[in-house]
Amino acid sequence: MRPEQIYAIVDIEATGGSVGADERIIQFACVLLQNGEVIHTFETYVNPGRNIPYNIKQLTGISNKEVRRAPYFEEVAPIIIRLLEDTVFVAHNVGFDFRFLNEQLRLHDFLMLDIPAIDTVELTQIIYPTLDSFQLEDIASSLGYDLLNAHNALADAKATVYVFKELFKKVTKLPLVTLEKLEKLSSSTTHETFLFFREALSYARNFKAPLAEDLVVVNQLAMKNPEHLTVHETQSEKTSYPFSKEEKEKYLPSDYSFREVQAEMMDLIYNYLNADLSLEKLAIEVPPGVGKSLGYLFPAAFIATPKKPIVISTY
């Protein structure tokens, strides 16, 4: 992140979770981050001028009593506008927080915010694509942060700060060639989320970390170096391919239904893969229900080895 740039990490709690549904803000929190350090924190309840629905009270823990003496949005809006001026707006699901805040500004006759916005949900989906959940609480937990008071605006904003910093730390440790690819592809991200990758790439280029020893760059792609992979042979001798029906059935489940066409496909593929490499191609068309996946995976299992794997690419 650029040392001089201020990032405004924002979280909003409202009477409902939809934009354009005449909902109102009941809590606003913002943490200003510069050069990786928190420089200011602002949080306030907001009087929505209406009762808070029961389900929102259960979710956030915010009651009508807590917001009764709070300022109305038109009273805190000037403070929020000055606070966010010249910042980059960051939120977990920026499609809600940024749009909802601008909607409230418009409804109360204030100018809407014209600043860049970054979404940490989308960033996490790109940088940690295998996570089971992209809810803030779950992401924070997976990265080592306990969010004890979820759906409290300030607690969520502080958790988002942690996640945002961890995402930047993670992405700047990627191979430079990988980060360059991400930056190039990031133009299709939500709002101005691409700015995150642009700043990360600038930082990484200045840092110039060497490529990890277990990686190798091939055709502008960083991947694991095969020479550094540890493989364990499970069999000292290659098992003979079972051509007969009886031999095949020894390897397959007891409830397997033998199909002549599938067996023929298996044999064709085995013979093709086992032959010396040539420019000849093999095309097979079979009717639905034959079991094509098993038809090519079964014979491939008798050919592939850890040192000479077979790559399966499907539509």
Side-chain angles (χ1 to χ4, degrees):
M1 290 175 272
R2 281 185 296 159
E4 69 279 8
Q5 180 61 62
I6 297 176
Y7 295 86
I9 289 77
V10 173
D11 191 81
I12 292 171
E13 302 300 333
T15 55
S18 300
V19 179
D22 194 31
E23 304 292 355
R24 294 291 184 268
I25 292 176
I26 58 175
Q27 189 186 21
F28 174 90
C30 175
V31 179
L32 297 183
L33 190 69
Q34 187 178 41
N35 198 22
E37 300 294 331
V38 174
I39 60 171
H40 184 69
T41 299
F42 174 78
E43 182 266 336
T44 182
Y45 287 121
V46 179
N47 190 330
R50 63 180 65 172
N51 287 328
I52 298 173
Y54 177 78
N55 64 312
I56 298 298
K57 179 183 176 181
Q58 293 296 107
L59 179 68
T60 65
I62 301 173
S63 66
N64 292 314
K65 181 180 178 180
E66 289 176 296
V67 300
R68 187 175 297 127
R69 295 181 180 276
Y72 290 97
F73 180 76
E74 52 265 36
E75 296 177 276
V76 298
I79 300 173
I80 293 173
I81 292 170
R82 287 196 299 272
L83 186 68
L84 299 180
E85 188 177 14
D86 297 324
T87 68
V88 175
F89 190 103
V90 180
H92 199 71
N93 187 12
V94 78
F96 171 76
D97 293 89
F98 190 65
R99 289 175 59 201
F100 192 87
L101 180 56
N102 266 330
E103 179 183 80
Q104 296 302 303
L105 290 171
R106 179 181 58 80
L107 288 173
H108 292 86
D109 297 322
F110 291 96
L111 291 177
M112 292 192 296
L113 298 170
D114 186 20
I115 56 176
I118 290 176
D119 184 17
T120 55
V121 173
E122 191 168 30
L123 287 178
T124 309
Q125 290 171 336
I126 294 169
I127 300 169
Y128 289 98
T130 60
L131 290 183
D132 293 331
S133 167
F134 295 100
Q135 297 291 327
L136 178 59
E137 186 176 5
D138 296 327
I139 295 171
S141 177
S142 70
L143 297 179
Y145 183 95
D146 291 328
L147 177 52
L148 301 177
N149 196 12
H151 300 293
N152 171 278
L154 184 57
D156 284 358
K158 288 181 177 179
T160 305
V161 169
Y162 180 86
V163 169
F164 186 62
K165 292 169 68 174
E166 288 297 305
L167 291 171
F168 192 82
K169 188 188 303 182
K170 170 72 173 180
V171 79
T172 52
K173 289 182 179 179
L174 292 174
L176 189 60
V177 66
T178 302
L179 188 49
E180 287 172 342
K181 293 284 187 182
L182 285 173
E183 192 275 334
K184 185 177 181 180
L185 295 170
S186 67
S187 59
S188 60
T189 54
T190 302
H191 290 271
E192 290 75 35
T193 301
F194 68 88
L195 291 175
F196 176 90
F197 293 100
R198 181 183 297 175
E199 297 301 334
L201 179 59
S202 176
Y203 175 90
R205 280 174 171 165
N206 290 332
F207 187 67
K208 296 180 180 177
L211 186 69
E213 291 183 359
D214 63 338
L215 297 179
V216 62
V217 176
V218 179
N219 294 331
Q220 297 302 303
L221 291 175
M223 59 187 69
K224 290 289 184 181
N225 189 338
E227 295 180 0
H228 286 259
L229 295 177
T230 302
V231 296
H232 302 280
E233 297 282 359
T234 56
Q235 295 174 313
S236 58
E237 297 181 4
K238 185 176 290 188
T239 304
S240 298
Y241 176 76
F243 280 98
S244 71
K245 173 184 176 182
E246 292 74 17
E247 289 175 324
K248 285 185 175 69
E249 288 179 332
K250 290 179 182 179
Y251 290 92
L252 299 167
S254 58
D255 59 350
Y256 169 73
S257 178
F258 188 85
R259 303 167 187 150
E260 290 289 348
V261 177
Q262 186 187 56
E264 182 183 358
M265 177 181 175
M266 291 176 177
D267 295 345
L268 281 169
I269 290 177
Y270 175 81
N271 289 329
Y272 175 75
L273 294 175
N274 198 41
D276 293 334
L277 183 64
S278 72
L279 296 179
E280 295 296 323
K281 301 294 188 295
L282 176 65
I284 300 174
E285 184 177 3
V286 294
V290 165
K292 294 184 289 296
S293 297
L294 187 61
Y296 59 74
L297 290 174
F298 184 80
F302 289 87
I303 299 293
T305 68
K307 293 183 179 180
K308 292 185 177 180
I310 290 175
V311 177
I312 306 295
S313 177
T314 66
Y315 176 71

